[in-house]
Amino acid sequence: MTTETGGTLRRIQLGNALSAFGSGFTVPYLFLYVADVRGLGAGTAGAVLAAFAAAALLVLPLVGRVIDRHGPMPVALAGAAAAALGALSLGLAGNAPHVLCSAAVMGAGIAVLQPSLATMIVWCSTTATRSRAFATQFFLNNLGMGVGGLLGGQIVDEHAPSSFAVLFAVEAVMFLALAAVLLTVRLPRCAGAEQPGPAAPSRPRADGGGRSLASDRSMVMLCVLGFVLFFACYGQFESGLAAYGVEVSGVSTSTLGFALFANTAVIVLAQFVVLRLVEGRRRSRVIALVGLVWTAGWLAAGASGLVPHAQAVATALFVTTYALFGLGEAMLSPTVAPLVADLAPAGMVGRYNSAFALVKQLGVAVGPAVGGLMAAQGAYAAYVVLLVVCSLGITALALRLGGRLSPVQDNPALRRTARAAEGPAAGPAGVPDGGPDAGRVTVAA
């Protein structure tokens, strides 16, 4: 990766961090804002969350092809504009239709941003640098979200709707700041996705669209794995797990906030330590280990419900669940997203990123629905058992996926080792490894 692309990557990550900072101002307070401050009730607040998911599911199947045909920049700028418009409108909304429409526009904008920014990171990185690039993005996202939430809590006043308008205005400005930073970026006209070489399984052709993607069994398996990952973790934070903590473990609502803080703190503190530990190891084994870490987390949550009379112990176990989730997330950031990029053939990076973003959104949408339904029925024991099984399923799916990947796809360090042994002439098409075009394949703008 050249100095120029390294500077471009840093600016992309800065803009991404700014948008996360803005989102931190509103995400913790969205339900309260709609249900209580605007007086629209819990049903409308739930519908707002559904509108975010529905908008994302509507636009994501279309976004990937646009990215691959026209590049990620115009898509990202359109997404930032839509997200800013939706956020500003949401802060001014006073009735249910206005709130729902604003949420849909904002949700569509944020959904569009995810694969376009991911594709930019792929274009500005190589197999050797991609894990660190995505880990840094995840670290900055969580740091920005956490700082934004902390500052937003100092501004917000549930008795003053105008204070919420300020929060949403800040979020809108941060999305525009993301767009402003992106306008200073000059993307390379090529992607950093290195092809796996002759030893890898056959690759789908870029001209086949969604049909080619569906024929890539490794990618399909990774998407199934991604759905379970997001169903079992992110999809439970604000639904079934929170309800379990309050109703069964007996923790206070303030403890929920502390548990979320513990989750973010573990990510921020452990991310680069974890990155050093997982670099050079098989990605499938790292993901399989995440399943075991999350299994321990769900067992801790289950144990917290068995000792509600010992409140300090129950609280410690419940917070440990969120901390273990954070550790698993830190392990996923340098493995899953780079693997999606490395599986994508030339000209299909946007479609692969969009497909995986769609799967993530499905997991995040279905997770709260299932968790909330089981919580409403009081089926908490079955709920914990289900999530333990899902976590063990992550381990099983990851190990099975590892059997389908080429050695270089599963462990990119093998490419660097082989090139070091063969000498500088081993770069693709005769380009010395580390040169400005090393490992890059042309992508049509």
Side-chain angles (χ1 to χ4, degrees):
M1 183 168 60
T2 64
T3 303
E4 181 181 355
T5 54
T8 297
L9 179 59
R10 285 190 291 274
R11 275 180 283 175
I12 293 169
Q13 291 172 330
L14 170 63
N16 203 10
L18 290 174
S19 67
F21 173 72
S23 295
F25 276 79
T26 64
V27 168
Y29 314 109
L30 182 59
F31 193 95
L32 172 68
Y33 169 71
V34 175
D36 297 334
V37 177
R38 291 301 184 187
L40 299 176
T44 301
V48 165
L49 299 178
F52 275 106
L57 295 177
L58 182 65
V59 300
L60 280 172
L62 310 173
V63 168
R65 185 177 292 273
V66 177
I67 292 174
D68 289 330
R69 285 187 176 181
H70 304 288
M73 182 62 74
V75 178
L77 293 175
L85 177 62
L88 189 61
S89 179
L90 197 56
L92 301 174
N95 56 62
H98 191 174
V99 166
L100 291 172
C101 288
S102 300
V105 171
M106 184 177 171
I110 293 174
V112 165
L113 279 171
Q114 293 177 11
S116 55
L117 290 172
T119 302
M120 288 184 188
I121 292 175
V122 173
W123 283 28
C124 295
S125 64
T126 65
T127 299
T129 62
R130 193 162 296 135
S131 291
R132 182 167 293 273
F134 277 104
T136 300
Q137 180 202 32
F138 187 69
F139 167 81
L140 292 174
N141 273 347
N142 280 275
L143 182 61
M145 186 80 73
V147 174
L150 182 63
L151 294 179
Q154 308 306 309
I155 297 172
V156 71
D157 180 356
E158 61 182 297
H159 303 295
S162 60
S163 67
F164 286 84
V166 171
L167 296 187
F168 285 103
V170 170
E171 183 175 28
V173 169
M174 289 299 104
F175 281 122
L176 295 178
L178 166 62
V181 171
L182 292 180
L183 287 172
T184 70
V185 165
R186 184 177 180 180
L187 289 173
R189 292 182 61 82
C190 49
E194 295 178 87
Q195 296 308 303
S202 61
R203 310 291 299 144
R205 293 189 305 168
D207 58 0
R211 188 173 299 177
S212 291
L213 192 154
S215 70
D216 186 346
R217 294 185 179 180
S218 296
M219 182 60 185
V220 171
M221 187 174 293
L222 180 58
C223 285
V224 173
L225 174 60
F227 175 83
V228 180
L229 283 167
F230 283 84
F231 173 88
C233 180
Y234 298 95
Q236 307 305 323
F237 273 2
E238 297 175 2
S239 58
L241 182 56
Y244 180 88
V246 173
E247 298 296 330
V248 180
S249 303
V251 303
S252 64
T253 53
S254 62
T255 299
L256 293 179
F258 183 76
L260 284 170
F261 172 79
N263 173 264
T264 302
V266 168
I267 292 171
V268 171
L269 294 175
Q271 182 62 84
F272 292 104
V273 175
V274 168
L275 179 62
R276 285 195 295 271
L277 293 175
V278 303
E279 281 183 328
R281 287 172 171 78
R282 295 178 61 179
R283 288 164 166 169
S284 60
R285 299 293 176 86
V286 175
I287 300 171
L289 182 57
V290 171
L292 297 180
V293 170
W294 284 359
T295 297
W298 283 110
L299 290 175
S304 73
L306 299 177
V307 290
H309 52 282
Q311 194 55 56
V313 176
T315 298
L317 287 169
F318 188 76
V319 172
T320 297
T321 298
Y322 278 80
L324 288 173
F325 284 165
L327 179 60
E329 291 172 73
M331 295 166 67
L332 288 176
S333 63
T335 52
V336 174
L339 180 56
V340 173
D342 289 348
L343 286 176
M348 288 188 66
V349 176
R351 272 166 280 190
Y352 271 55
N353 278 326
S354 294
F356 195 74
L358 177 63
V359 167
K360 287 165 56 178
Q361 196 63 48
L362 282 170
V364 172
V366 175
V370 173
L373 179 62
M374 296 185 78
Q377 299 296 320
Y380 291 111
Y383 173 74
V384 172
V385 170
L386 170 65
L387 273 303
V388 167
V389 171
C390 285
S391 299
L392 292 174
I394 290 169
T395 299
L397 285 169
L399 293 176
R400 187 173 180 185
L401 174 63
R404 297 201 60 86
L405 300 175
S406 71
V408 170
Q409 287 171 337
D410 204 12
N411 185 1
L414 295 178
R415 181 186 297 273
R416 299 195 298 273
T417 302
R419 288 182 179 171
E422 294 174 11
V431 178
D433 191 26
D437 295 314
R440 298 189 181 277
V441 290
T442 300
V443 172

